[in-house]
Amino acid sequence: MNRDFETALCLGSGIAFAFLFLFISVSNGFIMVVLYRNPLRCFRKPFSMFLVFITAVDLFIGTVVCSGEAVMRLLCAFGDGQIPQEGDVVTILGYFGINSSVLLATAMSVDRLIATVWPHFYRRKFSPRNVVLFITVICVFSLIFASLQFAEVSMDVYRIIDVHLHTTFSLTTTILAYLAIFFFLRKRGRVVLQQQTMSARNSTLQDIHRIKNARMERKIAATSFLILLLLIISFLPYFVVTLLYEKCNDCGKQRWFLAFKESSTVFLFVNSAMNPFLTTFRINELKHSLKIVLGLARRNKDQGWILPTTKLGTLNR
């Protein structure tokens, strides 16, 4: 590889990773503070555990992986370093973070399917403690899989297994799960609409509560699907690069392929930068908690929370 081209490649990707380091660390760090303080006492449900761990993994990716990638690439640009390769510590940590995010999003889709289709079974069997235990198993598995690069295994075989395990399998599972959720909610929506039409004048409190829960389940399922969609979009260029590398023997030495490969590596981490904003704007409890922590709202024992007083009076929600 030409040294001038390698320097430009390292400098460009190094600056991108430095920006991602700041952006991901600050945003996810603040969300972790909000989840820890939990001013509304609402993040104690099984689904909240997925939110906590996804935020924690994104924070790890920002503070450890992106910072390491930035340092390595800037050393490559201004010193005697080189672009991180498979088997390097930074790359292995990146594999651990990305694969954990993929498997967590897949597990969250199955969690939403069970909670939507079999709610009574879900409430009996799925406790926050059980979900934390299951998520811990996922993280340990991802760490072991990433650490296999330290062993003398064929990287070609390793890449194929990685792509099919963390892309093909995960994508197929999540698509089937969300299709099942979509058709179930669509069918139940028709039933709820008929019940609303038949008992519009004498709706009971239980009916109103059931409708509210259905809307909440639909919104949570949509939020988890959007998290997964962002993950797939950020993972797609890397998936294409891996397939090209396996099929094209001469591509590894061409400049366009090297530039595309570096861009796809950087793009892998964009998902971790977008997740905090997606979850904040989609989950009202998180948005309200964030406002309380920032001092933009205060808690009220009767109304839950209210906005600060303005010239027009106190704005309640």
Side-chain angles (χ1 to χ4, degrees):
M1 185 190 303
N2 183 271
R3 179 56 187 169
D4 293 335
F5 175 73
E6 184 180 13
T7 301
L9 202 62
C10 290
L11 181 60
S13 58
I15 293 174
F17 272 113
F19 175 76
L20 286 174
F21 158 67
L22 293 174
F23 200 75
I24 295 173
S25 301
V26 172
S27 58
N28 284 282
F30 190 74
I31 296 298
M32 282 298 296
V33 171
V34 173
L35 293 173
Y36 174 75
R37 293 185 61 178
N38 193 13
L40 296 180
R41 302 293 185 269
C42 56
F43 301 115
R44 297 174 178 176
K45 299 178 180 179
F47 176 76
S48 301
M49 298 301 103
F50 283 101
L51 181 63
V52 169
F53 272 83
I54 288 176
T55 305
V57 169
D58 288 339
L59 183 61
F60 169 81
I61 289 173
T63 55
V64 178
V65 180
C66 288
S67 61
E69 294 279 5
V71 170
M72 292 292 291
R73 281 165 169 76
L74 291 177
L75 287 176
C76 169
F78 299 109
D80 298 329
Q82 62 179 2
I83 298 175
Q85 305 293 328
E86 281 86 356
D88 294 339
V89 174
V90 174
T91 305
I92 291 174
L93 292 176
Y95 268 88
F96 163 68
I98 297 298
N99 291 344
S100 296
S101 296
V102 173
L103 294 179
L104 283 175
T106 305
M108 187 167 59
S109 67
V110 177
D111 172 86
R112 289 299 88 204
L113 173 63
I114 298 173
T116 304
V117 180
W118 301 285
H120 299 293
F121 172 79
Y122 183 83
R123 283 193 290 268
R124 289 199 313 269
K125 300 296 183 181
F126 283 68
S127 65
R129 183 177 180 179
N130 292 338
V131 172
V132 168
L133 180 61
F134 181 69
I135 293 175
T136 303
V137 172
I138 289 177
C139 293
V140 171
F141 170 79
S142 298
L143 182 61
I144 293 174
F145 184 84
S147 301
L148 289 177
Q149 295 184 41
F150 285 125
E152 296 181 359
V153 297
S154 173
M155 289 309 302
D156 293 334
V157 176
Y158 183 88
R159 291 192 198 97
I160 293 175
I161 296 174
D162 178 53
V163 167
H164 289 296
L165 176 62
H166 298 107
T167 304
T168 307
F169 167 75
S170 299
L171 185 59
T172 303
T173 302
T174 50
I175 286 177
L176 292 175
Y178 284 115
L179 281 176
I181 291 173
F182 171 76
F183 286 115
F184 180 81
L185 291 178
R186 186 178 179 182
K187 180 179 179 180
R188 191 172 65 179
R190 294 174 181 174
V191 176
V192 171
L193 181 60
Q194 291 176 358
Q195 291 177 348
Q196 285 181 296
T197 304
M198 295 175 61
S199 59
R201 295 183 179 180
N202 54 352
S203 298
T204 63
L205 185 62
Q206 185 178 3
D207 294 331
I208 297 174
H209 183 68
R210 190 184 300 112
I211 295 171
K212 184 178 179 180
N213 285 341
R215 291 175 179 173
M216 186 181 300
E217 289 174 1
R218 193 180 299 112
K219 188 170 185 179
I220 291 177
T223 301
S224 57
F225 173 75
L226 289 175
I227 292 174
L228 173 70
L229 184 62
L230 281 176
L231 190 63
I232 293 173
I233 292 174
S234 64
F235 208 85
L236 188 60
Y238 179 79
F239 180 72
V240 174
V241 166
T242 303
L243 293 181
L244 283 175
Y245 187 82
E246 297 297 328
K247 301 296 181 180
C248 179
N249 296 325
D250 299 329
C251 289
K253 300 178 181 178
Q254 299 183 25
R255 290 188 175 185
W256 68 267
F257 180 81
L258 295 173
F260 183 40
K261 181 181 178 182
E262 278 298 287
S263 301
S264 67
T265 303
V266 174
F267 202 67
L268 274 173
F269 302 93
V270 173
N271 172 72
S272 297
M274 298 302 298
N275 278 342
F277 300 94
L278 174 63
T279 53
T280 299
F281 287 106
R282 290 288 303 176
I283 302 176
N284 289 331
E285 292 82 0
L286 181 59
K287 180 165 59 178
H288 300 164
S289 299
L290 187 144
K291 288 181 179 180
I292 293 174
V293 173
L294 288 175
L296 300 177
R298 68 178 186 273
R299 282 203 63 190
N300 185 284
K301 292 183 179 180
D302 298 327
Q303 296 176 334
W305 66 280
I306 55 177
L307 292 176
T309 303
T310 66
K311 294 180 180 179
L312 299 177
T314 302
L315 300 177
N316 296 331
R317 288 191 182 183

